[in-house]
């Protein structure tokens, strides 16, 4: 099975925004696997500023995105499965990429601060098809 391109594309768009001096934002589908401040969730979605100036300890791994950020002056820990990222885009230009929602496998758990012991590879489900990415321009794009 080929590894998902989603985490690589998320990292690439994030880096592109940073290199261009723009602010990367992510739209995240909120379900039971996501740890975000629920008071900022609307219609099961939250928009997060994932720029280095707004986050501390930002980590975009192949399965999870995690960081600390301040919401209303209070520092909060954020955990998002990569499959719950619906889009990443530049707040400044509106350029970015959208994705289909990928449900987290039931057996998947959020990583801990300590490295886990290596485990045997898990065979992919027969019906697991890779989801494609869409290149999109978001409303409010400035020319």
């Amino acid at each position: 099975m080929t590894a998902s391109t989603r985490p690589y594309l998320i990292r690439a768009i994030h880096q592109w925004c940073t290199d261009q001096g723009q602010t990367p934002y992510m739209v995240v589908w909120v379900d039971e696997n996501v740890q975000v401040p629920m008071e900022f969730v609307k219609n099961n979605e939250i928009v997060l500023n994932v720029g280095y100036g707004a986050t501390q300890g930002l980590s975009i791994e192949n399965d999870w995105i995690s960081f600390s950020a301040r919401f209303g002056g209070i520092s909060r820990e954020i955990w998002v499965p990569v499959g719950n990222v619906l889009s990443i885009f530049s707040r400044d230009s509106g350029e970015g990429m959208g994705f289909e929602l990928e449900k987290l496998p039931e057996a998947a758990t959020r990583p801990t601060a300590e490295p886990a012991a290596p485990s045997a590879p898990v065979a992919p489900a027969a019906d697991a098809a890779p989801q494609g990415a869409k290149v999109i321009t978001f409303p409010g794009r400035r020319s």
Side-chain angles (χ1 to χ4, degrees):
M1 177 178 136
T2 305
S4 172
T5 58
R6 183 185 300 232
Y8 300 93
L9 295 170
I10 291 170
R11 285 190 289 265
I13 298 293
H14 184 276
Q15 186 64 49
W16 176 83
C17 287
T18 302
D19 289 350
Q20 298 304 310
Q22 299 182 23
T23 306
Y25 274 57
M26 282 190 330
V27 178
V28 173
W29 180 258
V30 178
D31 61 16
E32 66 278 357
N33 300 309
V34 175
Q35 180 179 315
V36 296
M38 296 305 288
E39 62 270 27
F40 296 98
V41 174
K42 292 182 181 157
N43 299 322
N44 287 84
E45 293 182 357
I46 188 168
V47 179
L48 300 169
N49 178 343
V50 290
Y52 289 117
T55 63
Q56 184 171 4
L58 176 65
S59 176
I60 305 174
E61 299 298 326
N62 289 344
D63 297 320
W64 290 88
I65 298 170
S66 63
F67 58 92
S68 296
R70 298 186 81 70
F71 294 83
I74 300 169
S75 182
R76 307 284 280 274
E77 293 293 319
I78 307 300
W79 287 89
V80 175
V82 168
N84 283 52
V85 175
L86 298 177
S87 64
I88 182 165
F89 62 97
S90 165
R91 179 194 69 178
D92 309 283
S93 69
E95 293 179 87
M97 185 170 283
F99 305 96
E100 298 292 326
L101 178 65
E102 289 180 2
K103 289 292 187 180
L104 193 64
E106 288 187 31
T109 57
R110 184 171 69 203
T112 61
E114 296 131 21
S119 61
V122 177
D127 62 347
Q131 298 292 322
K134 301 175 195 169
V135 177
I136 54 177
T137 301
F138 291 85
R141 178 184 168 146
R142 299 179 189 150
S143 298

